[in-house]
Amino acid sequence: MKTNVAMINDLLRQIMINQQHSLQDTLTLNVGLTPQQTRTLNVIQQQPGIIQRELADIFHRRSASISNLLQILERDGYIERKIPADSGRSKQIFITDKGKNAIQGFDQYFDDVENRMVANLTEKEQGQLITLLGKVASAYSEESRPADA
């Protein structure tokens, strides 16, 4: 028989997996891009001229992984890379009109997927869940970690 802790871990993991699958399905159907591609385009739109290393830092990914992602986005016309006049080392990345059109409604897709998670809960139940998950999350806060961690 599973312990409560094991059941909680299983449920949290299943929620995350279901959210990821739902988001993937929603984006593939509506946009034709992966969640990572969509998030990347969103960051590039918010930070025109960003460089690859900065994207790698934002997503906590290796530069090689970001490079492959950017090559696909550039090949498919969602972004363009430009070498600034004052520096030949780093290419700045800009979103194209095609990229802007692709992520139009981006926030709504994420909101729809997130809202499905609590669709079966009342406002009161959502508040209780927030309180309980806050308690769980606080177990991992800096203040509660042992000094030798």
Side-chain angles (χ1 to χ4, degrees):
M1 183 170 179
K2 284 189 174 187
T3 66
N4 285 344
V5 172
M7 289 173 58
I8 291 168
N9 280 323
D10 287 349
L11 288 169
L12 290 173
R13 188 175 300 108
Q14 190 60 47
I15 290 167
M16 293 301 296
I17 289 168
N18 288 344
Q19 269 194 321
Q20 290 172 353
H21 287 166
S22 181
L23 183 59
Q24 175 71 47
D25 294 346
T26 298
L27 290 174
T28 300
L29 178 66
N30 293 295
V31 182
L33 297 170
T34 68
Q36 183 67 36
Q37 289 171 325
T38 308
R39 285 186 199 101
T40 302
L41 289 174
N42 193 47
V43 169
I44 295 168
Q45 180 171 303
Q46 292 173 2
Q47 299 180 45
I50 192 169
I51 61 173
Q52 180 175 320
R53 181 185 42 75
E54 293 169 330
L55 282 172
D57 290 345
I58 289 170
F59 292 117
H60 305 287
R61 300 278 185 149
R62 293 184 348 259
S63 190
S65 296
I66 296 297
S67 178
N68 291 338
L69 177 70
L70 293 175
Q71 286 174 1
I72 292 167
L73 290 172
E74 185 175 32
R75 177 199 70 202
D76 293 344
Y78 294 105
I79 63 165
E80 59 183 358
R81 297 191 239 194
K82 298 178 182 177
I83 300 172
D86 61 344
S87 170
R89 289 193 57 169
S90 298
K91 292 182 181 178
Q92 293 179 307
I93 306 163
F94 298 90
I95 192 167
T96 63
D97 288 340
K98 180 179 179 179
K100 289 176 187 175
N101 291 335
I103 62 170
Q104 190 173 13
F106 167 83
D107 292 333
Q108 188 60 48
Y109 296 133
F110 280 88
D111 289 347
D112 291 348
V113 169
E114 289 174 349
N115 287 332
R116 283 183 62 189
M117 178 175 52
V118 294
N120 296 328
L121 301 177
T122 65
E123 288 289 326
K124 182 178 178 182
E125 289 169 331
Q126 290 177 34
Q128 292 169 331
L129 182 59
I130 290 167
T131 299
L132 294 171
L133 290 174
K135 287 181 178 183
V136 171
S138 71
Y140 295 98
S141 69
E142 290 294 327
E143 298 79 32
S144 66
R145 287 189 184 166
D148 61 340

PDB file of all heavy atoms in Angstrom, residues 17-53:
ATOM      1  N   ILE A  17       2.600  16.098 -15.870  1.00  0.00           N
ATOM      2  CA  ILE A  17       2.646  15.376 -17.148  1.00  0.00           C
ATOM      3  C   ILE A  17       1.401  15.693 -17.973  1.00  0.00           C
ATOM      4  O   ILE A  17       1.487  15.971 -19.174  1.00  0.00           O
ATOM      5  CB  ILE A  17       2.787  13.860 -16.906  1.00  0.00           C
ATOM      6  CG1 ILE A  17       4.188  13.547 -16.372  1.00  0.00           C
ATOM      7  CG2 ILE A  17       2.506  13.066 -18.186  1.00  0.00           C
ATOM      8  CD1 ILE A  17       4.347  12.134 -15.836  1.00  0.00           C
ATOM      9  N   ASN A  18       0.233  15.675 -17.334  1.00  0.00           N
ATOM     10  CA  ASN A  18      -1.011  15.969 -18.054  1.00  0.00           C
ATOM     11  C   ASN A  18      -1.015  17.395 -18.592  1.00  0.00           C
ATOM     12  O   ASN A  18      -1.468  17.644 -19.711  1.00  0.00           O
ATOM     13  CB  ASN A  18      -2.221  15.739 -17.151  1.00  0.00           C
ATOM     14  CG  ASN A  18      -2.484  14.277 -16.903  1.00  0.00           C
ATOM     15  OD1 ASN A  18      -1.979  13.406 -17.602  1.00  0.00           O
ATOM     16  ND2 ASN A  18      -3.267  13.980 -15.880  1.00  0.00           N
ATOM     17  N   GLN A  19      -0.510  18.344 -17.789  1.00  0.00           N
ATOM     18  CA  GLN A  19      -0.433  19.729 -18.258  1.00  0.00           C
ATOM     19  C   GLN A  19       0.487  19.835 -19.467  1.00  0.00           C
ATOM     20  O   GLN A  19       0.152  20.509 -20.442  1.00  0.00           O
ATOM     21  CB  GLN A  19       0.094  20.642 -17.150  1.00  0.00           C
ATOM     22  CG  GLN A  19      -0.972  21.240 -16.295  1.00  0.00           C
ATOM     23  CD  GLN A  19      -0.425  22.380 -15.460  1.00  0.00           C
ATOM     24  OE1 GLN A  19       0.690  22.330 -14.952  1.00  0.00           O
ATOM     25  NE2 GLN A  19      -1.212  23.406 -15.302  1.00  0.00           N
ATOM     26  N   GLN A  20       1.641  19.190 -19.399  1.00  0.00           N
ATOM     27  CA  GLN A  20       2.582  19.252 -20.514  1.00  0.00           C
ATOM     28  C   GLN A  20       1.985  18.647 -21.782  1.00  0.00           C
ATOM     29  O   GLN A  20       2.124  19.212 -22.859  1.00  0.00           O
ATOM     30  CB  GLN A  20       3.893  18.550 -20.146  1.00  0.00           C
ATOM     31  CG  GLN A  20       4.696  19.309 -19.117  1.00  0.00           C
ATOM     32  CD  GLN A  20       5.896  18.524 -18.615  1.00  0.00           C
ATOM     33  OE1 GLN A  20       6.086  17.358 -18.932  1.00  0.00           O
ATOM     34  NE2 GLN A  20       6.713  19.175 -17.797  1.00  0.00           N
ATOM     35  N   HIS A  21       1.310  17.511 -21.646  1.00  0.00           N
ATOM     36  CA  HIS A  21       0.687  16.884 -22.818  1.00  0.00           C
ATOM     37  C   HIS A  21      -0.430  17.756 -23.387  1.00  0.00           C
ATOM     38  O   HIS A  21      -0.556  17.902 -24.603  1.00  0.00           O
ATOM     39  CB  HIS A  21       0.155  15.499 -22.473  1.00  0.00           C
ATOM     40  CG  HIS A  21       1.224  14.475 -22.290  1.00  0.00           C
ATOM     41  ND1 HIS A  21       1.003  13.250 -21.722  1.00  0.00           N
ATOM     42  CD2 HIS A  21       2.538  14.489 -22.598  1.00  0.00           C
ATOM     43  CE1 HIS A  21       2.117  12.563 -21.689  1.00  0.00           C
ATOM     44  NE2 HIS A  21       3.070  13.291 -22.206  1.00  0.00           N
ATOM     45  N   SER A  22      -1.231  18.313 -22.504  1.00  0.00           N
ATOM     46  CA  SER A  22      -2.329  19.171 -22.948  1.00  0.00           C
ATOM     47  C   SER A  22      -1.797  20.404 -23.663  1.00  0.00           C
ATOM     48  O   SER A  22      -2.309  20.803 -24.720  1.00  0.00           O
ATOM     49  CB  SER A  22      -3.185  19.573 -21.751  1.00  0.00           C
ATOM     50  OG  SER A  22      -4.255  20.381 -22.159  1.00  0.00           O
ATOM     51  N   LEU A  23      -0.760  21.006 -23.100  1.00  0.00           N
ATOM     52  CA  LEU A  23      -0.161  22.179 -23.730  1.00  0.00           C
ATOM     53  C   LEU A  23       0.443  21.812 -25.078  1.00  0.00           C
ATOM     54  O   LEU A  23       0.261  22.524 -26.063  1.00  0.00           O
ATOM     55  CB  LEU A  23       0.899  22.783 -22.813  1.00  0.00           C
ATOM     56  CG  LEU A  23       1.555  24.055 -23.320  1.00  0.00           C
ATOM     57  CD1 LEU A  23       0.528  25.155 -23.552  1.00  0.00           C
ATOM     58  CD2 LEU A  23       2.615  24.521 -22.334  1.00  0.00           C
ATOM     59  N   GLN A  24       1.149  20.695 -25.131  1.00  0.00           N
ATOM     60  CA  GLN A  24       1.733  20.240 -26.395  1.00  0.00           C
ATOM     61  C   GLN A  24       0.648  20.045 -27.448  1.00  0.00           C
ATOM     62  O   GLN A  24       0.775  20.520 -28.575  1.00  0.00           O
ATOM     63  CB  GLN A  24       2.500  18.933 -26.180  1.00  0.00           C
ATOM     64  CG  GLN A  24       3.044  18.313 -27.457  1.00  0.00           C
ATOM     65  CD  GLN A  24       4.183  19.087 -28.057  1.00  0.00           C
ATOM     66  OE1 GLN A  24       5.100  19.473 -27.345  1.00  0.00           O
ATOM     67  NE2 GLN A  24       4.146  19.332 -29.348  1.00  0.00           N
ATOM     68  N   ASP A  25      -0.419  19.366 -27.074  1.00  0.00           N
ATOM     69  CA  ASP A  25      -1.513  19.118 -28.016  1.00  0.00           C
ATOM     70  C   ASP A  25      -2.160  20.420 -28.475  1.00  0.00           C
ATOM     71  O   ASP A  25      -2.447  20.602 -29.658  1.00  0.00           O
ATOM     72  CB  ASP A  25      -2.576  18.214 -27.383  1.00  0.00           C
ATOM     73  CG  ASP A  25      -2.064  16.804 -27.112  1.00  0.00           C
ATOM     74  OD1 ASP A  25      -0.990  16.438 -27.636  1.00  0.00           O
ATOM     75  OD2 ASP A  25      -2.735  16.079 -26.348  1.00  0.00           O
ATOM     76  N   THR A  26      -2.397  21.335 -27.538  1.00  0.00           N
ATOM     77  CA  THR A  26      -3.024  22.623 -27.854  1.00  0.00           C
ATOM     78  C   THR A  26      -2.153  23.431 -28.810  1.00  0.00           C
ATOM     79  O   THR A  26      -2.633  23.960 -29.807  1.00  0.00           O
ATOM     80  CB  THR A  26      -3.287  23.429 -26.566  1.00  0.00           C
ATOM     81  OG1 THR A  26      -4.183  22.690 -25.748  1.00  0.00           O
ATOM     82  CG2 THR A  26      -3.893  24.785 -26.879  1.00  0.00           C
ATOM     83  N   LEU A  27      -0.865  23.519 -28.508  1.00  0.00           N
ATOM     84  CA  LEU A  27       0.035  24.308 -29.356  1.00  0.00           C
ATOM     85  C   LEU A  27       0.227  23.668 -30.721  1.00  0.00           C
ATOM     86  O   LEU A  27       0.241  24.361 -31.738  1.00  0.00           O
ATOM     87  CB  LEU A  27       1.388  24.507 -28.660  1.00  0.00           C
ATOM     88  CG  LEU A  27       1.359  25.435 -27.453  1.00  0.00           C
ATOM     89  CD1 LEU A  27       2.708  25.443 -26.754  1.00  0.00           C
ATOM     90  CD2 LEU A  27       0.950  26.844 -27.844  1.00  0.00           C
ATOM     91  N   THR A  28       0.367  22.352 -30.757  1.00  0.00           N
ATOM     92  CA  THR A  28       0.541  21.671 -32.039  1.00  0.00           C
ATOM     93  C   THR A  28      -0.679  21.880 -32.923  1.00  0.00           C
ATOM     94  O   THR A  28      -0.553  22.177 -34.109  1.00  0.00           O
ATOM     95  CB  THR A  28       0.796  20.168 -31.818  1.00  0.00           C
ATOM     96  OG1 THR A  28       1.980  20.012 -31.032  1.00  0.00           O
ATOM     97  CG2 THR A  28       0.974  19.438 -33.143  1.00  0.00           C
ATOM     98  N   LEU A  29      -1.853  21.770 -32.336  1.00  0.00           N
ATOM     99  CA  LEU A  29      -3.095  21.938 -33.093  1.00  0.00           C
ATOM    100  C   LEU A  29      -3.279  23.373 -33.571  1.00  0.00           C
ATOM    101  O   LEU A  29      -3.624  23.619 -34.720  1.00  0.00           O
ATOM    102  CB  LEU A  29      -4.289  21.512 -32.231  1.00  0.00           C
ATOM    103  CG  LEU A  29      -5.669  21.675 -32.854  1.00  0.00           C
ATOM    104  CD1 LEU A  29      -5.825  20.731 -34.041  1.00  0.00           C
ATOM    105  CD2 LEU A  29      -6.749  21.394 -31.820  1.00  0.00           C
ATOM    106  N   ASN A  30      -3.032  24.349 -32.689  1.00  0.00           N
ATOM    107  CA  ASN A  30      -3.327  25.743 -32.996  1.00  0.00           C
ATOM    108  C   ASN A  30      -2.167  26.514 -33.613  1.00  0.00           C
ATOM    109  O   ASN A  30      -2.392  27.463 -34.346  1.00  0.00           O
ATOM    110  CB  ASN A  30      -3.797  26.472 -31.735  1.00  0.00           C
ATOM    111  CG  ASN A  30      -5.127  25.969 -31.252  1.00  0.00           C
ATOM    112  OD1 ASN A  30      -6.129  26.112 -31.927  1.00  0.00           O
ATOM    113  ND2 ASN A  30      -5.138  25.334 -30.102  1.00  0.00           N
ATOM    114  N   VAL A  31      -0.945  26.136 -33.299  1.00  0.00           N
ATOM    115  CA  VAL A  31       0.203  26.923 -33.725  1.00  0.00           C
ATOM    116  C   VAL A  31       1.181  26.115 -34.578  1.00  0.00           C
ATOM    117  O   VAL A  31       1.860  26.654 -35.433  1.00  0.00           O
ATOM    118  CB  VAL A  31       0.942  27.496 -32.480  1.00  0.00           C
ATOM    119  CG1 VAL A  31       2.120  28.353 -32.876  1.00  0.00           C
ATOM    120  CG2 VAL A  31      -0.005  28.286 -31.603  1.00  0.00           C
ATOM    121  N   GLY A  32       1.283  24.824 -34.320  1.00  0.00           N
ATOM    122  CA  GLY A  32       2.242  23.994 -35.046  1.00  0.00           C
ATOM    123  C   GLY A  32       3.645  24.061 -34.477  1.00  0.00           C
ATOM    124  O   GLY A  32       4.608  23.701 -35.149  1.00  0.00           O
ATOM    125  N   LEU A  33       3.761  24.537 -33.241  1.00  0.00           N
ATOM    126  CA  LEU A  33       5.055  24.650 -32.574  1.00  0.00           C
ATOM    127  C   LEU A  33       5.031  23.888 -31.256  1.00  0.00           C
ATOM    128  O   LEU A  33       3.972  23.643 -30.701  1.00  0.00           O
ATOM    129  CB  LEU A  33       5.391  26.120 -32.287  1.00  0.00           C
ATOM    130  CG  LEU A  33       5.546  27.049 -33.479  1.00  0.00           C
ATOM    131  CD1 LEU A  33       5.626  28.492 -33.011  1.00  0.00           C
ATOM    132  CD2 LEU A  33       6.785  26.683 -34.276  1.00  0.00           C
ATOM    133  N   THR A  34       6.216  23.558 -30.761  1.00  0.00           N
ATOM    134  CA  THR A  34       6.319  22.922 -29.452  1.00  0.00           C
ATOM    135  C   THR A  34       6.209  23.990 -28.364  1.00  0.00           C
ATOM    136  O   THR A  34       6.421  25.181 -28.637  1.00  0.00           O
ATOM    137  CB  THR A  34       7.665  22.192 -29.291  1.00  0.00           C
ATOM    138  OG1 THR A  34       8.715  23.167 -29.252  1.00  0.00           O
ATOM    139  CG2 THR A  34       7.905  21.193 -30.414  1.00  0.00           C
ATOM    140  N   PRO A  35       5.918  23.584 -27.129  1.00  0.00           N
ATOM    141  CA  PRO A  35       5.901  24.572 -26.036  1.00  0.00           C
ATOM    142  C   PRO A  35       7.238  25.307 -25.902  1.00  0.00           C
ATOM    143  O   PRO A  35       7.256  26.517 -25.683  1.00  0.00           O
ATOM    144  CB  PRO A  35       5.602  23.723 -24.799  1.00  0.00           C
ATOM    145  CG  PRO A  35       4.815  22.567 -25.323  1.00  0.00           C
ATOM    146  CD  PRO A  35       5.433  22.284 -26.675  1.00  0.00           C
ATOM    147  N   GLN A  36       8.358  24.601 -26.049  1.00  0.00           N
ATOM    148  CA  GLN A  36       9.671  25.248 -25.933  1.00  0.00           C
ATOM    149  C   GLN A  36       9.871  26.267 -27.052  1.00  0.00           C
ATOM    150  O   GLN A  36      10.383  27.365 -26.816  1.00  0.00           O
ATOM    151  CB  GLN A  36      10.795  24.203 -25.955  1.00  0.00           C
ATOM    152  CG  GLN A  36      12.175  24.791 -25.764  1.00  0.00           C
ATOM    153  CD  GLN A  36      12.387  25.380 -24.378  1.00  0.00           C
ATOM    154  OE1 GLN A  36      11.888  24.859 -23.393  1.00  0.00           O
ATOM    155  NE2 GLN A  36      13.120  26.459 -24.296  1.00  0.00           N
ATOM    156  N   GLN A  37       9.474  25.933 -28.268  1.00  0.00           N
ATOM    157  CA  GLN A  37       9.596  26.883 -29.372  1.00  0.00           C
ATOM    158  C   GLN A  37       8.722  28.108 -29.116  1.00  0.00           C
ATOM    159  O   GLN A  37       9.144  29.243 -29.347  1.00  0.00           O
ATOM    160  CB  GLN A  37       9.186  26.221 -30.689  1.00  0.00           C
ATOM    161  CG  GLN A  37      10.173  25.186 -31.192  1.00  0.00           C
ATOM    162  CD  GLN A  37       9.618  24.403 -32.366  1.00  0.00           C
ATOM    163  OE1 GLN A  37       8.423  24.113 -32.442  1.00  0.00           O
ATOM    164  NE2 GLN A  37      10.498  24.047 -33.292  1.00  0.00           N
ATOM    165  N   THR A  38       7.521  27.877 -28.623  1.00  0.00           N
ATOM    166  CA  THR A  38       6.603  28.972 -28.357  1.00  0.00           C
ATOM    167  C   THR A  38       7.134  29.879 -27.254  1.00  0.00           C
ATOM    168  O   THR A  38       7.105  31.104 -27.378  1.00  0.00           O
ATOM    169  CB  THR A  38       5.213  28.418 -27.976  1.00  0.00           C
ATOM    170  OG1 THR A  38       4.795  27.490 -28.978  1.00  0.00           O
ATOM    171  CG2 THR A  38       4.187  29.517 -27.872  1.00  0.00           C
ATOM    172  N   ARG A  39       7.638  29.267 -26.171  1.00  0.00           N
ATOM    173  CA  ARG A  39       8.220  30.068 -25.083  1.00  0.00           C
ATOM    174  C   ARG A  39       9.416  30.869 -25.580  1.00  0.00           C
ATOM    175  O   ARG A  39       9.602  32.028 -25.203  1.00  0.00           O
ATOM    176  CB  ARG A  39       8.643  29.160 -23.926  1.00  0.00           C
ATOM    177  CG  ARG A  39       7.504  28.659 -23.101  1.00  0.00           C
ATOM    178  CD  ARG A  39       8.021  27.886 -21.872  1.00  0.00           C
ATOM    179  NE  ARG A  39       6.984  27.048 -21.349  1.00  0.00           N
ATOM    180  CZ  ARG A  39       6.876  25.740 -21.545  1.00  0.00           C
ATOM    181  NH1 ARG A  39       7.784  25.091 -22.238  1.00  0.00           N
ATOM    182  NH2 ARG A  39       5.888  25.059 -21.018  1.00  0.00           N
ATOM    183  N   THR A  40      10.234  30.254 -26.412  1.00  0.00           N
ATOM    184  CA  THR A  40      11.413  30.935 -26.943  1.00  0.00           C
ATOM    185  C   THR A  40      11.005  32.136 -27.784  1.00  0.00           C
ATOM    186  O   THR A  40      11.575  33.226 -27.634  1.00  0.00           O
ATOM    187  CB  THR A  40      12.278  29.958 -27.771  1.00  0.00           C
ATOM    188  OG1 THR A  40      12.658  28.857 -26.934  1.00  0.00           O
ATOM    189  CG2 THR A  40      13.514  30.632 -28.317  1.00  0.00           C
ATOM    190  N   LEU A  41      10.026  31.956 -28.653  1.00  0.00           N
ATOM    191  CA  LEU A  41       9.546  33.071 -29.465  1.00  0.00           C
ATOM    192  C   LEU A  41       8.989  34.191 -28.581  1.00  0.00           C
ATOM    193  O   LEU A  41       9.197  35.372 -28.863  1.00  0.00           O
ATOM    194  CB  LEU A  41       8.476  32.602 -30.457  1.00  0.00           C
ATOM    195  CG  LEU A  41       8.978  31.742 -31.616  1.00  0.00           C
ATOM    196  CD1 LEU A  41       7.805  31.218 -32.436  1.00  0.00           C
ATOM    197  CD2 LEU A  41       9.948  32.513 -32.493  1.00  0.00           C
ATOM    198  N   ASN A  42       8.308  33.816 -27.529  1.00  0.00           N
ATOM    199  CA  ASN A  42       7.744  34.808 -26.622  1.00  0.00           C
ATOM    200  C   ASN A  42       8.864  35.634 -25.962  1.00  0.00           C
ATOM    201  O   ASN A  42       8.773  36.853 -25.886  1.00  0.00           O
ATOM    202  CB  ASN A  42       6.875  34.137 -25.561  1.00  0.00           C
ATOM    203  CG  ASN A  42       6.034  35.124 -24.797  1.00  0.00           C
ATOM    204  OD1 ASN A  42       5.392  35.988 -25.378  1.00  0.00           O
ATOM    205  ND2 ASN A  42       6.040  35.002 -23.482  1.00  0.00           N
ATOM    206  N   VAL A  43       9.917  34.973 -25.527  1.00  0.00           N
ATOM    207  CA  VAL A  43      11.054  35.687 -24.912  1.00  0.00           C
ATOM    208  C   VAL A  43      11.718  36.599 -25.936  1.00  0.00           C
ATOM    209  O   VAL A  43      12.040  37.749 -25.644  1.00  0.00           O
ATOM    210  CB  VAL A  43      12.067  34.698 -24.305  1.00  0.00           C
ATOM    211  CG1 VAL A  43      13.359  35.406 -23.908  1.00  0.00           C
ATOM    212  CG2 VAL A  43      11.464  33.985 -23.102  1.00  0.00           C
ATOM    213  N   ILE A  44      11.911  36.100 -27.154  1.00  0.00           N
ATOM    214  CA  ILE A  44      12.544  36.910 -28.199  1.00  0.00           C
ATOM    215  C   ILE A  44      11.687  38.129 -28.526  1.00  0.00           C
ATOM    216  O   ILE A  44      12.206  39.227 -28.732  1.00  0.00           O
ATOM    217  CB  ILE A  44      12.826  36.057 -29.456  1.00  0.00           C
ATOM    218  CG1 ILE A  44      13.864  34.976 -29.137  1.00  0.00           C
ATOM    219  CG2 ILE A  44      13.286  36.930 -30.619  1.00  0.00           C
ATOM    220  CD1 ILE A  44      14.006  33.900 -30.200  1.00  0.00           C
ATOM    221  N   GLN A  45      10.383  37.950 -28.538  1.00  0.00           N
ATOM    222  CA  GLN A  45       9.494  39.089 -28.794  1.00  0.00           C
ATOM    223  C   GLN A  45       9.610  40.119 -27.673  1.00  0.00           C
ATOM    224  O   GLN A  45       9.603  41.321 -27.924  1.00  0.00           O
ATOM    225  CB  GLN A  45       8.050  38.627 -28.929  1.00  0.00           C
ATOM    226  CG  GLN A  45       7.084  39.775 -29.192  1.00  0.00           C
ATOM    227  CD  GLN A  45       5.702  39.294 -29.535  1.00  0.00           C
ATOM    228  OE1 GLN A  45       5.509  38.545 -30.465  1.00  0.00           O
ATOM    229  NE2 GLN A  45       4.723  39.721 -28.764  1.00  0.00           N
ATOM    230  N   GLN A  46       9.708  39.654 -26.444  1.00  0.00           N
ATOM    231  CA  GLN A  46       9.803  40.563 -25.301  1.00  0.00           C
ATOM    232  C   GLN A  46      11.187  41.216 -25.187  1.00  0.00           C
ATOM    233  O   GLN A  46      11.301  42.292 -24.601  1.00  0.00           O
ATOM    234  CB  GLN A  46       9.489  39.813 -24.003  1.00  0.00           C
ATOM    235  CG  GLN A  46       8.052  39.384 -23.895  1.00  0.00           C
ATOM    236  CD  GLN A  46       7.805  38.492 -22.685  1.00  0.00           C
ATOM    237  OE1 GLN A  46       8.700  38.209 -21.899  1.00  0.00           O
ATOM    238  NE2 GLN A  46       6.564  38.038 -22.538  1.00  0.00           N
ATOM    239  N   GLN A  47      12.211  40.551 -25.731  1.00  0.00           N
ATOM    240  CA  GLN A  47      13.578  41.058 -25.627  1.00  0.00           C
ATOM    241  C   GLN A  47      14.255  41.054 -27.000  1.00  0.00           C
ATOM    242  O   GLN A  47      15.163  40.263 -27.246  1.00  0.00           O
ATOM    243  CB  GLN A  47      14.389  40.208 -24.647  1.00  0.00           C
ATOM    244  CG  GLN A  47      13.840  40.205 -23.240  1.00  0.00           C
ATOM    245  CD  GLN A  47      14.687  39.343 -22.311  1.00  0.00           C
ATOM    246  OE1 GLN A  47      15.902  39.417 -22.319  1.00  0.00           O
ATOM    247  NE2 GLN A  47      14.023  38.526 -21.505  1.00  0.00           N
ATOM    248  N   PRO A  48      13.805  41.922 -27.909  1.00  0.00           N
ATOM    249  CA  PRO A  48      14.383  41.947 -29.251  1.00  0.00           C
ATOM    250  C   PRO A  48      15.903  42.166 -29.183  1.00  0.00           C
ATOM    251  O   PRO A  48      16.382  42.987 -28.414  1.00  0.00           O
ATOM    252  CB  PRO A  48      13.699  43.138 -29.921  1.00  0.00           C
ATOM    253  CG  PRO A  48      12.492  43.426 -29.103  1.00  0.00           C
ATOM    254  CD  PRO A  48      12.795  42.959 -27.717  1.00  0.00           C
ATOM    255  N   GLY A  49      16.627  41.390 -29.970  1.00  0.00           N
ATOM    256  CA  GLY A  49      18.078  41.529 -30.005  1.00  0.00           C
ATOM    257  C   GLY A  49      18.799  40.667 -28.989  1.00  0.00           C
ATOM    258  O   GLY A  49      20.019  40.731 -28.857  1.00  0.00           O
ATOM    259  N   ILE A  50      18.043  39.827 -28.287  1.00  0.00           N
ATOM    260  CA  ILE A  50      18.651  38.924 -27.307  1.00  0.00           C
ATOM    261  C   ILE A  50      19.658  38.024 -28.021  1.00  0.00           C
ATOM    262  O   ILE A  50      19.531  37.768 -29.217  1.00  0.00           O
ATOM    263  CB  ILE A  50      17.560  38.103 -26.584  1.00  0.00           C
ATOM    264  CG1 ILE A  50      18.129  37.380 -25.366  1.00  0.00           C
ATOM    265  CG2 ILE A  50      16.877  37.134 -27.539  1.00  0.00           C
ATOM    266  CD1 ILE A  50      17.045  36.781 -24.462  1.00  0.00           C
ATOM    267  N   ILE A  51      20.661  37.562 -27.291  1.00  0.00           N
ATOM    268  CA  ILE A  51      21.646  36.665 -27.893  1.00  0.00           C
ATOM    269  C   ILE A  51      21.445  35.248 -27.352  1.00  0.00           C
ATOM    270  O   ILE A  51      20.790  35.046 -26.329  1.00  0.00           O
ATOM    271  CB  ILE A  51      23.098  37.154 -27.667  1.00  0.00           C
ATOM    272  CG1 ILE A  51      23.434  37.225 -26.185  1.00  0.00           C
ATOM    273  CG2 ILE A  51      23.332  38.488 -28.360  1.00  0.00           C
ATOM    274  CD1 ILE A  51      24.905  37.537 -25.908  1.00  0.00           C
ATOM    275  N   GLN A  52      22.029  34.288 -28.046  1.00  0.00           N
ATOM    276  CA  GLN A  52      21.832  32.877 -27.736  1.00  0.00           C
ATOM    277  C   GLN A  52      22.211  32.536 -26.295  1.00  0.00           C
ATOM    278  O   GLN A  52      21.499  31.801 -25.613  1.00  0.00           O
ATOM    279  CB  GLN A  52      22.660  32.037 -28.710  1.00  0.00           C
ATOM    280  CG  GLN A  52      22.540  30.547 -28.505  1.00  0.00           C
ATOM    281  CD  GLN A  52      23.285  29.776 -29.567  1.00  0.00           C
ATOM    282  OE1 GLN A  52      23.268  30.138 -30.744  1.00  0.00           O
ATOM    283  NE2 GLN A  52      23.950  28.711 -29.169  1.00  0.00           N
ATOM    284  N   ARG A  53      23.324  33.060 -25.818  1.00  0.00           N
ATOM    285  CA  ARG A  53      23.778  32.766 -24.457  1.00  0.00           C
ATOM    286  C   ARG A  53      22.751  33.214 -23.425  1.00  0.00           C
ATOM    287  O   ARG A  53      22.490  32.547 -22.431  1.00  0.00           O
ATOM    288  CB  ARG A  53      25.132  33.419 -24.181  1.00  0.00           C
ATOM    289  CG  ARG A  53      25.684  33.141 -22.796  1.00  0.00           C
ATOM    290  CD  ARG A  53      26.976  33.888 -22.499  1.00  0.00           C
ATOM    291  NE  ARG A  53      27.027  35.275 -22.938  1.00  0.00           N
ATOM    292  CZ  ARG A  53      26.394  36.295 -22.336  1.00  0.00           C
ATOM    293  NH1 ARG A  53      25.648  36.087 -21.291  1.00  0.00           N
ATOM    294  NH2 ARG A  53      26.517  37.530 -22.800  1.00  0.00           N
TER     295      ARG A  53
END
